[in-house]
């Protein structure tokens, strides 16, 4: 192995170490003192509840672990958005579990909390997955109520989704394991079945203090909306549990009796490990986002037997299109080739750039996968579409539009892995978040932005420099360099995968070695939802 491989490996493993350290911090929620206080009430934390609920030693994936990361500083922060979302198995059935983290602001809803809950429901709706809510929340975080309360993508959309999922026959089970106040009280009661934990769980539209202020009635919270009240008097809840574990055991028994589901019928055979070592990915992926590498070497370390069949191998070489299997599932791979390639006409094409022919090839391949009911996997490392007179005269806008059209109208499930660059319209054409991938994750090496930090800083520098010169400021080389570095530093922070994950532009940042698991579990989830719509490109300029 050459020295560059070793340098790349060291760099990527440092990025992985940073990821693991950040995850450890995030999983502490509100911190040790608040966890201890939570335990003193006889309650499990959100993560402990999920771990107890899911089958032991089974696979699981966490959605939005970094939601809210480095946000809401003036409000004390909101680790994981104050809610934990995991896809896993309960009694062998794949489910999505949503658990409020009451160690973070008593489980109050920040704007990102609402967005994360809506993302969990979106996954349940798209894949017809049973969804379990473990409720322990003080309701809307009042200092930010204007950013969480009234709009279409805000808090109220969650209850609308409860109703929609019920009409679709998607199982929803809610356990009230702590506070459940005001509008938040509708979520568990709009679920199919609701449990409540005795003495620690409570549901009411208004707590005792507000009742006293509003109508003058004096009553304690337990009598107002505790487990006995709602199980024996109001009939609001269906099961009374003695403690957290009893409630979770009841959920397990309920899930265990759900009937089988109609399958989409995606092709799967026995899983085979890649022949090429997946660990090599750390050495293949270059330290610099500008350096070239062969994406086929990455694919070999992601697919079963390291075996794939290329579609139009010699044509449009800056995009690789191939059929393969991942943990036994048949997939169609659309990947940006990151090395310089030479066409049959003797022309050189830059890796990571989408040219006319590669866009045309990808469009045709996506249509083929839809025709044959094969899920699509996009491996992004793209700087955008080719620019310049030759590309424009060749109709790059039209060819790019055809590719975006195919991605938009695809009816088979799509999964996006952001390996490196994800810039500009390249993000869109390669199935960015706006194009409804069932799951979208990033490696620690990923960057998401309109353009790279270096390019953006050069553009912004010229704008800012011109503005300041109009005001009479004289620029020295040192001053220009200092301004460039300031702009680049600010922009680089925004292209970080953590910046994207904090805002749920991606579902997770993952170890590259977990990619196969994420895709496999994603396709298994998608297999719960038969395809009901025909693939149709609409009006397409050929």
């Amino acid at each position: 192995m050459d020295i560059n491989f070793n340098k790349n490996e060291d760099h990527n493993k440092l990025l992985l170490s940073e990821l693991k350290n950040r995850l450890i911090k995030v999983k502490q929620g509100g911190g040790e003192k608040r966890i201890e206080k939570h335990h003193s009430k006889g309650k499990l934390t959100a993560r402990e509840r999920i771990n107890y609920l899911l089958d032991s030693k089974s696979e699981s994936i966490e959605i939005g672990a970094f939601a809210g990361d480095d946000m809401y500083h003036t409000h004390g922060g909101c680790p994981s958005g104050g809610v934990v979302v995991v896809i896993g198995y309960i009694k062998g059935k794949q489910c999505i579990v949503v658990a409020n983290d009451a160690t973070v602001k008593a489980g109050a809803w920040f704007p990102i909390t609402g967005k994360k809950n809506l993302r969990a429901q979106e996954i349940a709706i798209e894949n017809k997955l049973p969804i379990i809510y473990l409720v322990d929340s003080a309701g809307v975080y009042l200092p930010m109520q204007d950013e969480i309360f009234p709009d279409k993508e805000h808090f109220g959309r969650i209850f609308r989704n409860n109703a929609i999922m019920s009409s679709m026959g998607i199982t929803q089970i809610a356990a009230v394991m702590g506070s459940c106040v005001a509008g938040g009280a509708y979520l568990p009661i709009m679920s199919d079945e609701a449990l409540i934990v005795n003495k620690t769980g409570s549901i009411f539209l208004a707590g005792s203090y507000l009742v006293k202020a509003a109508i003058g009635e004096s009553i304690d919270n337990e009598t107002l909306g505790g487990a006995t009240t709602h199980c024996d008097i109001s009939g609001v809840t269906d099961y009374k549990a003695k403690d957290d574990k009893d409630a979770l055991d009841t959920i397990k028994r309920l899930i265990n009796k759900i009937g089988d589901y109609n399958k989409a019928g995606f092709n799967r055979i026995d899983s085979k490990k890649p022949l090429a070592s997946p660990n090599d990915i750390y050495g293949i992926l270059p330290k610099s986002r500008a350096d070239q590498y062969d994406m086929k070497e990455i694919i070999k370390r992601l697919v079963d037997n390291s075996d794939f069949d290329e579609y139009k191998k010699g044509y449009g070489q800056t995009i690789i299109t191939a059929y393969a299997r991942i943990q036994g599932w048949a997939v169609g791979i659309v990947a940006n080739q990151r090395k310089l390639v030479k066409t049959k006409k003797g022309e050189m094409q830059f890796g990571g750039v989408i040219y006319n022919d590669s866009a045309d090839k990808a469009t045709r391949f996506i249509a083929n996968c839809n025709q044959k009911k094969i899920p699509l996997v996009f491996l992004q490392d793209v700087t955008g579409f080719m620019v310049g007179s030759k590309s424009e005269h060749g109709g790059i806008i039209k060819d790019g539009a055809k590719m975006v059209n195919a991605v938009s109208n695809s009816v088979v499930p799509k999964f996006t892995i952001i390996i490196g660059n994800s810039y500009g319209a390249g993000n869109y054409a390669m199935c960015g978040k706006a194009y409804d991938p069932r799951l979208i994750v990033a490696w620690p090496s990923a960057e998401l932005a309109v353009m790279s930090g270096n390019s953006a800083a050069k553009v912004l520098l010229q704008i800012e420099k011109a503005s300041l010169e109009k005001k009479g400021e004289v620029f020295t080389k040192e001053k220009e360099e200092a301004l460039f570095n300031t702009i680049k530093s600010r922009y680089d922070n925004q292209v970080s995968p953590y910046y994207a994950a904090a805002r749920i532009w991606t579902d997770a940042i993952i170890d590259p070695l977990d990619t196969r698991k994420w895709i496999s579990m994603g396709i298994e989830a998608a297999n719960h939802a038969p395809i009901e719509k025909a693939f149709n490109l609409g009006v397409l300029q050929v």
Side-chain angles (χ1 to χ4, degrees), residues 111-122:
I112 200 68
T113 317
K115 186 173 183 178
K116 186 170 175 179
N117 274 265
L118 289 171
R119 176 62 180 141
Q121 289 184 322
E122 180 182 40

Side-chain angles (χ1 to χ4, degrees), residues 97-390:
V97 185
V98 181
N100 297 114
D101 186 351
T103 71
V104 178
K105 291 289 193 295
W109 289 58
F110 282 67
I112 200 68
T113 317
K115 186 173 183 178
K116 186 170 175 179
N117 274 265
L118 289 171
R119 176 62 180 141
Q121 289 184 322
E122 180 182 40
I123 291 170
I125 290 169
E126 285 181 330
N127 299 291
K128 291 185 166 63
L129 275 187
I131 185 166
I132 317 300
Y133 306 101
L134 306 180
V135 185
D136 195 344
S137 171
V140 166
Y141 182 62
L142 290 177
M144 302 187 76
Q145 65 85 27
D146 61 321
E147 297 181 46
I148 181 63
F149 169 63
D151 210 346
K152 181 178 178 180
E153 300 301 324
H154 285 176
F155 190 63
R157 186 77 171 182
I158 288 157
F159 314 136
R160 175 264 188 194
N161 286 350
N162 287 141
I164 295 297
M165 283 190 279
S166 183
S167 73
M168 294 173 67
I170 297 170
T171 297
Q172 299 176 85
I173 298 173
V176 179
M177 310 181 83
S179 181
C180 189
V181 186
Y186 287 104
L187 185 148
I189 310 312
M190 292 191 73
S191 299
D192 302 328
E193 294 181 276
L195 304 83
I196 186 168
V197 179
N198 196 29
K199 303 301 181 185
T200 56
S202 60
I203 312 173
F204 33 66
L205 294 181
S208 56
Y209 293 122
L210 185 54
V211 168
K212 177 68 174 177
I215 64 173
E217 180 183 2
S218 295
I219 189 170
D220 64 272
N221 282 338
E222 183 64 25
T223 306
L224 181 66
T228 299
T229 295
H230 285 310
C231 284
D232 301 346
I233 300 173
S234 72
V236 166
T237 50
D238 307 307
Y239 308 91
K240 180 163 63 175
K242 63 182 181 182
D243 56 26
D244 280 10
K245 288 185 177 180
D246 186 33
L248 298 170
D249 285 335
T250 302
I251 293 173
K252 291 179 185 182
R253 291 193 295 272
L254 293 173
I255 292 291
N256 198 32
K257 294 176 179 65
I258 296 175
D260 203 358
Y261 57 90
N262 296 326
K263 296 176 177 62
F266 301 122
N267 185 299
R268 191 181 199 186
I269 61 174
D270 290 341
S271 175
K272 300 286 178 63
K273 292 181 179 180
L275 294 180
S277 173
N279 284 291
D280 291 346
I281 289 172
Y282 303 123
I284 295 168
L285 199 64
K287 179 178 178 179
S288 169
R289 290 287 79 244
D291 287 351
Q292 304 274 302
Y293 66 96
D294 190 351
M295 180 64 82
K296 291 180 186 179
E297 293 303 317
I298 299 289
I299 295 173
K300 286 177 185 177
R301 287 153 178 85
L302 295 178
V303 303
D304 292 10
N305 271 336
S306 299
D307 183 41
F308 55 93
D309 297 305
E310 272 197 76
Y311 170 82
K312 290 185 179 290
K313 182 178 180 179
Y315 176 70
Q317 294 179 68
T318 63
I319 285 184
I320 300 163
T321 49
Y323 298 107
R325 290 190 182 273
I326 292 177
Q327 290 198 4
W329 294 103
V331 297
I333 295 173
V334 181
N336 302 112
Q337 175 57 289
R338 275 308 311 261
K339 72 174 186 178
L340 198 66
V341 297
K342 189 174 184 179
T343 69
K344 296 296 182 182
K345 295 178 180 179
E347 298 169 339
M348 300 305 295
Q349 294 184 342
F350 296 101
V353 179
I354 302 174
Y355 288 76
N356 302 67
D357 53 359
S358 49
D360 174 62
K361 177 172 80 169
T363 302
R364 292 170 179 268
F365 182 72
I366 290 166
N368 277 341
C369 287
N370 275 270
Q371 182 85 351
K372 294 186 279 191
K373 203 159 71 172
I374 300 173
L376 286 159
V377 174
F378 292 83
L379 303 179
Q380 281 198 15
D381 195 344
V382 58
T383 53
F385 285 88
M386 190 59 190
V387 296
S389 60
K390 185 175 180 180

Side-chain angles (χ1 to χ4, degrees), residues 50-81:
I50 292 175
N51 289 340
Y52 184 86
L53 184 59
L54 297 183
D55 297 343
S56 62
K57 298 180 181 178
S58 64
E59 297 276 28
S60 65
I61 53 179
E62 183 174 350
I63 305 295
F66 289 109
D69 184 56
D70 205 27
M71 296 168 66
Y72 310 119
H73 296 294
T74 58
H75 299 276
C78 187
S80 274

Side-chain angles (χ1 to χ4, degrees), residues 382-438:
V382 58
T383 53
F385 285 88
M386 190 59 190
V387 296
S389 60
K390 185 175 180 180
S391 290
E392 297 292 359
H393 295 172
I396 187 65
I397 296 174
K398 182 177 70 175
D399 289 325
K402 287 193 293 185
M403 184 176 173
V404 170
N405 189 317
V407 172
S408 302
N409 285 297
S410 178
V411 296
V412 295
K414 299 167 290 193
F415 302 90
T416 302
I417 316 297
I418 304 174
I419 289 175
N421 303 325
S422 181
Y423 298 150
N427 170 279
Y428 300 158
M430 291 295 293
C431 197
K433 182 69 180 288
Y435 292 81
D436 299 321
R438 295 293 176 97

